[in-house]
């Protein structure tokens, strides 16, 4: 079964690295408290309720991939993933987000019933990416992030965001078939 992914165009391909141009996207997000595991679980439940029909028109919204987590502390955190989720640490809270399917606009996306769930438009962006398979932990994420930062430096690409960890597969996927990425927004 194919799962929608954010639309992008590859500008440069030097495996395991790529430079990509991403189309604009819409996120559904919530602010939650706790450590990364707690935030991921709590945020996922809140936004999953929204996409499974807890919205003004009781409409189900398709899930997309990847699951992403971002924030200044990504290199030092244990990574726990569930479903299309983006986590960004802001002070003591986390912003947990799902990318919405591309068929929606801000006007056509169902409005959340839960006031904790907000909708946000993200402009087009350019990202440097490293792809890897297998299991992940904070050490592996830190190692891959460092490799990506070194590649970016060699290409004179300047970061404008914290690293983003992305997982494309459900937890039951065999390790060698898993697709993971680290992405960093770069200046145009």
């Amino acid at each position: 079964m194919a799962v929608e992914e954010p639309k992008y165009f590859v500008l440069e391909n030097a495996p395991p690295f790529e430079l990509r141009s991403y189309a604009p996207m819409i996120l559904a997000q919530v602010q939650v408290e706790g450590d990364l595991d707690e935030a991921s679980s709590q945020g996922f439940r809140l936004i999953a309720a929204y996409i499974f029909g807890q919205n003004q028109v009781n409409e189900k919204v398709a899930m997309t991939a990847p699951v992403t987590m971002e924030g200044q502390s990504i290199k030092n955190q244990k990574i726990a993933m569930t479903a299309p989720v983006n986590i960004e640490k802001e002070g003591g809270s986390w912003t947990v987000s799902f990318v919405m399917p591309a068929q929606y606009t801000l006007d056509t996306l169902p409005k959340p019933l839960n006031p904790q769930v907000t909708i946000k438009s993200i402009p087009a962006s350019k990202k440097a990416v490293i792809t890897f398979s297998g299991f992940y932990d904070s050490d592996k994420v830190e190692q891959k992030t460092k490799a990506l930062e070194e590649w970016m430096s060699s290409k004179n690409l300047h970061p404008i965001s914290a690293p983003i960890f992305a997982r494309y597969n459900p937890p039951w996927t065999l390790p060698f078939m898993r697709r993971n990425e680290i992405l960093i927004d770069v200046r145009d």
Side-chain angles (χ1 to χ4, degrees):
M1 183 166 95
V3 175
E4 182 180 340
E5 296 181 14
K7 296 185 183 333
Y8 65 86
F9 178 80
V10 177
L11 301 170
E12 183 174 342
N13 185 14
F17 305 103
E18 284 186 342
L19 182 61
R20 299 176 184 165
S21 177
Y22 278 83
M25 60 186 87
I26 298 173
L27 303 178
Q29 56 186 203
V30 295
Q31 293 283 325
V32 293
E33 302 288 330
D35 67 21
L36 188 58
D37 289 333
E38 293 165 345
S40 179
S41 180
Q42 181 185 4
F44 176 78
R45 282 193 305 273
L46 290 168
I47 301 176
Y50 163 69
I51 68 167
F52 293 142
Q54 195 180 66
N55 53 62
Q56 289 181 343
V57 293
N58 197 30
E59 178 181 324
K60 289 186 179 179
V61 177
M63 295 185 84
T64 61
V67 174
T68 62
M69 304 179 121
E70 69 179 296
Q72 294 296 329
S73 57
I74 191 76
K75 294 182 186 181
N76 299 319
Q77 294 290 335
K78 179 181 175 194
I79 305 297
M81 307 301 266
T82 49
V85 176
N86 174 40
I87 298 183
E88 179 180 350
K89 186 164 178 142
E90 293 180 15
S93 68
W94 297 84
T95 302
V96 180
S97 307
F98 284 29
V99 176
M100 297 290 96
Q103 75 190 51
Y104 291 103
T105 67
L106 287 176
D107 293 331
T108 62
L109 191 64
K111 305 298 181 247
L113 291 177
N114 184 336
Q116 288 180 274
V117 178
T118 60
I119 307 300
K120 180 179 181 181
S121 180
I122 304 297
S125 62
K126 190 185 292 186
K127 298 179 186 303
V129 181
I130 184 172
T131 303
F132 60 100
S133 63
F135 288 117
Y136 51 84
D137 59 24
S138 60
D139 290 338
K140 190 168 190 178
V141 169
E142 185 173 350
Q143 173 193 24
K144 297 299 182 180
T145 300
K146 184 176 180 181
L148 178 59
E149 290 169 339
E150 289 171 358
W151 181 77
M152 290 170 55
S153 180
S154 76
K155 296 290 185 179
N156 202 27
L157 297 170
H158 303 284
I160 58 170
S161 77
I164 301 164
F165 174 66
R167 190 200 74 191
Y168 288 79
N169 311 100
W172 57 84
T173 304
L174 295 171
F176 69 92
M177 296 180 71
R178 292 178 184 214
R179 176 177 158 209
N180 306 300
E181 295 178 339
I182 304 295
L183 305 95
I184 299 176
D185 287 348
V186 297
R187 192 175 6 203
D188 227 352

